C-alpha cells in the first residue's frame, strides 16, 4: 500500500485522506505496527513529496511514543522513519513535537546499544540542520542531548558508526549556532580530565580528540587556527606538569593535522617532537601519533622531516618509526585508489626501512615490518620482489622482519596485492624451515594470519607446510637451557613461544582449512605431546581437542585412551604451597580449560566409553570442586 502511494501518490490526491488514516490505525496494532512504521518511511522517501498533512502530527506523536518501547526492532525502524519525515516534512512539524522527540532521543544515547545511539545522533543532526533557526530546538539539544553525548564520548566501547555520528553531531551543533564554539570546545576538553574513578581509556581520549578536530574544522579557519595556537601553548608551557592536558593536546593536534594542512603554524613539528623527551610513555606515544598525522596533512613538507630525523636521531628512532607508520597506514586505508606517496618518497622510505631490518631492538623491527607490510598494500609490484629477495639474507633478524611484513600485508579485504601474493607466498612461508627460531615463529604467525584472513592463498601449499608446522609443536631439547642464579637454577625454554604459536596456527587452520588437515596424523603424537606441555601450550591444545571432538569425532575416539591421561594430570595439578595469587588463578583457568575439553570428548563418546574416560568422569563427579567447575563449563 505504501509503495503504491509513494509511486502514484500524485495521481491519488483525492484518495489520500481516506487511505492514510488506515495506515495510521495499523500503527496502533502490536502485530502490524512495525510494518506500518516502515511503510511511512517508504512514503516519506518518495520523490513526489506526498501530502501527509492530514495525518502528519498523529504519525509523529505515535512514532515518538514508540521510542520508549522495549522492542528494539521497532525503535530502530522508528528512528529511520522519523529521520525521513524530518528531511521531507521538517517545516510542517511543530517545535513542541521536536522538543518531545529530542527528549526521547537523549535516553537512547548510551554505550549500552551503540547502533541505536548512532541512529539517535543521526536523527538529532537532521533535526538541527533542518530546524537550526528554531530557538527551543537548540535549547532542547543543549539541555537534553549534549550531556548524554558528552557522557558517551568517555566510553571505552565507542567506535565505528556511533563515533562518526557523534563527530557529525558536534559539527552540526557548532554550525547551528545555538551553542558557541568556545563552550563546546571547553566541554569536550574538560571531559578528558581524569575523574575520581581514574583516567579515561585510550579509546575515549582518541574519540574526544577526533570530535575536537571535527568541531574545529566545522567552526571555520579562524577558530581552528586559534585552537591550534592554544594547543601549542599547552605543549610550550614548561611549567605545565599536567601530563593529561599535554596528552590531550597532542592527540588533538594529530587529529586536526590529519584533516587540515598545518604548515602555516611555524615550527609545529619541532614543538611536537619536543614531547619525545617526556618521562611519560603515553605522552611519547601521543607525540609520535601526532607527528605522523600532521605529516598526512602535508606530505611534501613533513615526510622529509620525519625521514631525516629517523636517520639522525638514534635515540628517538622507535617513536619516529611509529610516526612513519601512521603516515603509511593512512595511505593504505584512506586511498584505495592511488596513494599520495610519490615514487621518490617510497624509494627513500624503503631504503630507510630496509636499513633498520637488522636492528637489535625487537620493537623497532616490529614497526619496520608493519610499515613494510602496509607499503606492500599500496605498491605490491615493488615491495613483494624486494621482500622476497631478503628471505635469503644472511641476517636472521632481516629474514624474520620480512616474514612479519608479509603477515601485515595479508588483510581481509581484497586488493591488487592478492594476485602477486598468490604466486609468491610460498617463498615466505617456507621460512618455517629456517635454522633460526625467531624466523620460524615469524613464518608460523604469517601462516596463521593467511589461514584466518585469506585461506585461499595457502590451501594448495598445506600438504607441504603441515608436516613442517607440526614439527614446530615438538619440545626441542636444544632450545632448553639452565641459567645459574647463584642459590638456585632456573630452566629457560626458548622454544615455548614457537610451540604456542604453532598450536594456535593449527587451531586457525581447523576453522578455515579443515578439508586439508588429516586429524589422525596430528592428534598422535603432536596434540598428545601438547596436552602434557607448559601452561601456555596446554590452553590452545584443549581448544583444539574440543574442536576436533566436534568436527572429526571418529579420529578422536580412535585414540581416546591416550588423550585421557594428560587431561587427568592437568585437572589434578595442585600449585605449590607458596604460590602467589597469579599462579593459583592460572592453575584454575587451566583446570577449567581441561574440563571443557573433557566435556567435549564426553559428548561424542556416548556408549562407546573408554574405560579410562569412565574412570575420569567418576573421579570428577566424586570431587565436589571439580564437579561444580565441570557443570559450570558444560553449561557455557
Amino acid at each position: 500500500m505504501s509503495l503504491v502511494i509513494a509511486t502514484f501518490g500524485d495521481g491519488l490526491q483525492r484518495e489520500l485522506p481516506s487511505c492514510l488514516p488506515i495506515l495510521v490505525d495499523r500503527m496502533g496494532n502490536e502485530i502490524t505496527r512495525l510494518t506500518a512504521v516502515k511503510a511511512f518511511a517508504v512514503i516519506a522517501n518518495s520523490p513526489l513529496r506526498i501530502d501527509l498533512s492530514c495525518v502528519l502530527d498523529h504519525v509523529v506523536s505515535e512514532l515518538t511514543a514508540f521510542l520508549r518501547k522495549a522492542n528494539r526492532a521497532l525503535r530502530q525502524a522508528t528512528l529511520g522513519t522519523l529521520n525521513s519525515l524530518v528531511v521531507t516534512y521538517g517545516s510542517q512539524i511543530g517545535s513542541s513535537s521536536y522538543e518531545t522527540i529530542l527528549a526521547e532521543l537523549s535516553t537512547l544515547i548510551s554505550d549500552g546499544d551503540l547502533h541505536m545511539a548512532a541512529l539517535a545522533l543521526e536523527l538529532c543532526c537532521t533535526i538541527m540542520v533542518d530546524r537550526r533557526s528554531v530557538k527551543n530546538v537548540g535549547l532542547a539539544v543543549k539541555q537534553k542531548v549534549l550531556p548524554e553525548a558528552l557522557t558517551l564520548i568517555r566510553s571505552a566501547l565507542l567506535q565505528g558508526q556511533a563515533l562518526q555520528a557523534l563527530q557529525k553531531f558536534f559539527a552540526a551543533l557548532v554550525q547551528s549556532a545555538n551553542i558557541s564554539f568556545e563552550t563546546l570546545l571547553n566541554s569536550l576538553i574538560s571531559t578528558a580530565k581524569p575523574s575520581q574513578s581514574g583516567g579515561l581509556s585510550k579509546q575515549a581520549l582518541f574519540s574526544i580528540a577526533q570530535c575536537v578536530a571535527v568541531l574545529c574544522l566545522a567552526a571555520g579557519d579562524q577558530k581552528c587556527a586559534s585552537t591550534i595556537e592554544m594547543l601549542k601553548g599547552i605543549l610550550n608551557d614548561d611549567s605545565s606538569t599536567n601530563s593529561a592536558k599535554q596528552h590531550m593536546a597532542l592527540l588533538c593536534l594529530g587529529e586536526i593535522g590529519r584533516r587540515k594542512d598545518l604548515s602555516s603554524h611555524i615550527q609545529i613539528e619541532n614543538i611536537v617532537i619536543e614531547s619525545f623527551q617526556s618521562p611519560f610513555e603515553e605522552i611519547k606515544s601521543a607525540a609520535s601519533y601526532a607527528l605522523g598525522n600532521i605529516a598526512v596533512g602535508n606530505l611534501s613538507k613533513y615526510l622529509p622531516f620525519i625521514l631525516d630525523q629517523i636517520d639522525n636521531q638514534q635515540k628517538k628512532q622507535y617513536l619516529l618509526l611509529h610516526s612513519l607508520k601512521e603516515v603509511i597506514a593512512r595511505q593504505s586505508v584512506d586511498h584505495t585508489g592511488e596513494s599520495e606517496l610519490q615514487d621518490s618518497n617510497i624509494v627513500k622510505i624503503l631504503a630507510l626501512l630496509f636499513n633498520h631490518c637488522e636492528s637489535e631492538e625487537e620493537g623497532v623491527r616490529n614497526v619496520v615490518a608493519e610499515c613494510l607490510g602496509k607499503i606492500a598494500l599500496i605498491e605490491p609490484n615493488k615491495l613483494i620482489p624486494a621482500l622476497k629477495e631478503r628471505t635469503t639474507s644472511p641476517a636472521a633478524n632481516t629474514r624474520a622482519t620480512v616474514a612479519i611484513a608479509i603477515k601485515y600485508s595479508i588483510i581481509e579485504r581484497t586488493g591488487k596485492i592478492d594476485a602477486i601474493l598468490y604466486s609468491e607466498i610460498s617463498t615466505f612461508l617456507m621460512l618455517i624451515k629456517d635454522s633460526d627460531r625467531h624466523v620460524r615463529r615469524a613464518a608460523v604467525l604469517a601462516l596463521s594470519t593467511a589461514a584466518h584472513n585469506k585461506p585461499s592463498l595457502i590451501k594448495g601449499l598445506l600438504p607441504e607446510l603441515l608436516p613442517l608446522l607440526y614439527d614446530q609443536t615438538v619440545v626441542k631439547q636444544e632450545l632448553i637451557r639452565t641459567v645459574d642464579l647463584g642459590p638456585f637454577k632456573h630452566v629457560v625454554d626458548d622454544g615455548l613461544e614457537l610451540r604456542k604459536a604453532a598450536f594456535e596456527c593449527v587451531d586457525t587452520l581447523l576453522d578455515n582449512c579443515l578439508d586439508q588437515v588429516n586429524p589422525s596424523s596430528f592428534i598422535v603424537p603432536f596434540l598428545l605431546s601438547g596436552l602434557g606441555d607448559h601452561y601456555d601450550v596446554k590452553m590452545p591444545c584443549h581448544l583444539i581437542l574440543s574442536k576436533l571432538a566436534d568436527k572429526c569425532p571418529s579420529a578422536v575416539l580412535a585414540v581416546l585412551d591416550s588423550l585421557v591421561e594428560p587431561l587427568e594430570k592437568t585437572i589434578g595439578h595442585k600449585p605449590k604451597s607458596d604460590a602467589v595469587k597469579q599462579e593459583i588463578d592460572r592453575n584454575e583457568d587451566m583446570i577449567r580449560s581441561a574440563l571443557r575439553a573433557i566435556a567435549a570428548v564426553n559428548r561424542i563418546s556416548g556408549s562407546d566409553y573408554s574405560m579410562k574416560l569412565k574412570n575420569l568422569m567418576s573421579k570428577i563427579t566424586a570431587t565436589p570442586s571439580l564437579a561444580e567447575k565441570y557443570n559450570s563449563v558444560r553449561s557455557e
Side-chain angles (χ1 to χ4, degrees):
M1 185 174 173
S2 66
L3 202 53
V4 168
I5 295 171
T7 313
F8 308 113
D10 51 347
L12 302 170
Q13 298 289 350
R14 287 208 304 249
E15 283 80 1
L16 289 180
S18 57
C19 167
L20 289 171
I22 299 171
L23 265 184
V24 177
D25 282 347
R26 293 292 164 267
M27 288 171 76
N29 182 324
E30 207 167 308
I31 295 168
T32 54
R33 67 187 179 187
L34 178 59
T35 314
V37 167
K38 291 177 180 173
F40 273 105
V42 172
I43 295 170
N45 289 327
S46 167
L48 301 175
R49 291 183 64 87
I50 308 298
D51 180 11
L52 293 183
S53 53
C54 58
V55 294
L56 187 61
D57 288 345
H58 193 167
V59 170
V60 171
S61 66
E62 281 285 333
L63 289 171
T64 309
F66 287 165
L67 293 176
R68 289 183 223 119
K69 300 288 183 193
N71 183 336
R72 186 176 184 274
L74 180 65
R75 277 180 290 145
Q76 198 171 318
T78 299
L79 288 167
T81 302
L82 276 171
N83 208 347
S84 301
L85 287 170
V86 172
V87 169
T88 312
Y89 307 101
S91 56
Q92 298 169 39
I93 299 171
S95 63
S96 60
S97 297
Y98 280 125
E99 286 179 64
T100 318
I101 292 170
L102 288 166
E104 294 300 338
L105 286 184
S106 64
T107 62
L108 298 176
I109 298 170
S110 81
D111 62 1
D113 188 335
L114 285 175
H115 181 57
M116 206 63 76
L119 294 175
L121 286 163
E122 281 164 12
L123 174 54
C124 208
C125 291
T126 307
I127 292 172
M128 277 193 287
V129 168
D130 198 69
R131 315 294 297 146
R132 65 174 66 173
S133 56
V134 181
K135 196 170 180 187
N136 44 358
V137 166
L139 204 61
V141 171
K142 184 177 177 179
Q143 293 175 347
K144 296 280 197 320
V145 183
L146 181 58
E148 299 302 326
L150 291 171
T151 304
L152 176 64
I153 204 170
R154 292 173 65 93
S155 167
L157 305 173
L158 185 61
Q159 57 172 329
Q161 190 192 357
L163 179 53
Q164 284 169 357
L166 200 54
Q167 290 172 27
K168 285 180 196 153
F169 168 76
F170 283 109
L173 201 51
V174 76
Q175 284 164 345
S176 70
N178 284 309
I179 304 175
S180 76
F181 167 74
E182 287 74 17
T183 309
L184 275 174
L185 183 64
N186 290 334
S187 300
L188 273 173
I189 289 179
S190 58
T191 55
K193 288 176 182 163
S195 59
Q196 283 94 356
S197 56
L200 288 183
S201 69
K202 197 174 172 185
Q203 175 58 44
L205 293 170
F206 277 104
S207 302
I208 294 167
Q210 285 177 45
C211 288
V212 167
V214 169
L215 184 71
C216 289
L217 266 66
D221 288 350
Q222 199 180 344
K223 296 272 199 287
C224 194
S226 63
T227 307
I228 292 164
E229 289 307 317
M230 181 267 287
L231 295 169
K232 277 168 66 180
I234 293 172
L235 297 178
N236 274 333
D237 183 5
D238 291 335
S239 63
S240 174
T241 51
N242 187 340
S243 64
K245 208 171 175 184
Q246 290 184 325
H247 189 184
M248 197 67 227
L250 285 162
L251 293 179
C252 291
L253 280 175
E255 292 297 341
I256 297 169
R258 177 156 64 89
R259 295 165 171 84
K260 182 182 173 67
D261 178 4
L262 300 189
S263 56
S264 58
H265 295 269
I266 310 299
Q267 296 290 310
I268 193 162
E269 67 275 33
N270 290 316
I271 293 167
V272 169
I273 217 167
E274 278 298 306
S275 296
F276 282 18
Q277 316 282 11
S278 168
F280 301 105
E281 281 303 319
E282 67 270 18
I283 289 187
K284 289 182 190 172
S285 169
S288 76
Y289 176 83
L291 185 61
N293 279 288
I294 288 169
V296 172
N298 185 341
L299 284 175
S300 58
K301 174 165 185 183
Y302 296 120
L303 185 57
F305 171 78
I306 292 176
L307 297 178
D308 182 56
Q309 290 283 318
I310 293 174
D311 268 342
N312 299 319
Q313 300 284 341
Q314 196 68 32
K315 287 185 177 172
K316 297 176 185 169
Q317 227 169 50
Y318 178 69
L319 293 169
L320 288 160
L321 282 165
H322 265 288
S323 298
L324 180 61
K325 185 190 82 178
E326 283 298 323
V327 175
I328 296 164
R330 291 291 169 199
Q331 301 308 310
S332 58
V333 171
D334 295 349
H335 303 278
T336 44
E338 286 307 304
S339 159
E340 283 181 26
L341 284 174
Q342 294 165 342
D343 279 358
S344 57
N345 282 335
I346 288 184
V347 170
K348 280 182 204 161
I349 291 171
L350 290 182
L352 187 146
L353 290 173
F354 284 131
N355 276 347
H356 290 91
C357 273
E358 290 179 43
S359 170
E360 289 304 309
E361 287 182 50
E362 191 180 356
V364 169
R365 292 201 307 274
N366 280 338
V367 187
V368 166
E370 195 170 344
C371 289
L372 289 168
K374 301 283 185 210
I375 297 177
L377 293 171
I378 305 168
E379 291 285 356
N381 291 316
K382 280 189 188 138
L383 250 286
I384 300 299
L387 291 172
K388 184 180 177 183
E389 190 185 314
R390 285 163 177 82
T391 55
T392 54
S393 162
N397 283 348
T398 299
R399 300 195 300 275
T401 305
V402 162
I404 294 289
I406 286 297
K407 176 184 110 127
Y408 282 113
S409 69
I410 305 170
I411 54 171
E412 282 187 38
R413 67 171 191 268
T414 53
K416 51 187 176 182
I417 192 172
D418 293 355
I420 302 164
L421 261 185
Y422 192 79
S423 57
E424 301 292 355
I425 197 166
S426 63
T427 310
F428 300 99
L429 296 181
M430 283 305 164
L431 289 172
I432 201 167
K433 294 194 282 195
D434 200 272
S435 56
D436 185 274
R437 64 187 164 88
H438 298 293
V439 180
R440 295 202 298 275
R441 181 167 176 268
V444 168
L445 294 173
L447 174 59
S448 215
T449 304
H452 185 272
N453 292 344
K454 287 208 175 97
S456 57
L457 279 179
I458 54 151
K459 278 198 170 175
L461 305 172
L462 285 179
E464 192 178 353
L465 281 172
L466 281 175
L468 299 168
L469 175 64
Y470 294 162
D471 187 49
Q472 308 312 313
T473 68
V474 179
V475 178
K476 304 267 197 314
Q477 290 304 320
E478 65 270 23
L479 294 177
I480 297 175
R481 56 197 167 88
T482 305
V483 180
D484 196 339
L485 297 173
F488 56 91
K489 288 184 169 58
H490 180 57
V491 176
V492 177
D493 184 350
D494 289 326
L496 179 61
E497 285 301 315
L498 176 56
R499 297 202 300 282
K500 182 186 172 194
F503 276 116
E504 284 169 349
C505 183
V506 172
D507 183 44
T508 308
L509 288 167
L510 290 180
D511 286 332
N512 296 335
C513 308
L514 183 63
D515 53 333
Q516 302 292 318
V517 179
N518 174 6
S520 303
S521 61
F522 168 68
I523 296 174
V524 177
F526 304 107
L527 181 62
L528 183 60
S529 140
L531 289 169
D533 203 330
H534 184 273
Y535 167 91
D536 286 339
V537 174
K538 280 184 188 179
M539 298 291 267
C541 287
H542 293 152
L543 197 57
I544 291 170
L545 179 55
S546 301
K547 275 184 189 168
L548 286 172
D550 180 41
K551 295 177 177 181
C552 314
S554 52
V556 174
L557 290 172
V559 290
L560 193 52
D561 273 1
S562 58
L563 298 175
V564 171
E565 201 174 314
L567 290 169
E568 188 170 2
K569 270 187 188 165
T570 299
I571 63 168
H573 184 265
K574 299 267 189 299
K576 293 173 187 169
S577 55
D578 59 348
V580 294
K581 184 179 184 300
Q582 190 186 5
E583 289 173 316
I584 295 166
D585 290 346
R586 274 165 64 99
N587 192 57
E588 284 295 301
D589 288 344
M590 190 165 66
I591 291 171
R592 291 179 73 85
S593 168
L595 288 169
R596 277 189 203 95
I598 291 166
V601 170
N602 198 28
R603 273 197 297 275
I604 60 163
S605 56
S607 54
D608 307 323
Y609 252 39
S610 91
M611 204 61 215
K612 283 188 177 178
L613 184 58
K614 202 168 190 175
N615 293 339
L616 179 58
M617 290 308 301
S618 306
K619 180 180 171 182
I620 290 169
T621 318
T623 314
S625 63
L626 284 176
E628 187 186 339
K629 287 187 193 109
Y630 182 76
N631 291 329
S632 153
V633 299
R634 245 180 48 189
S635 59
E636 282 174 359

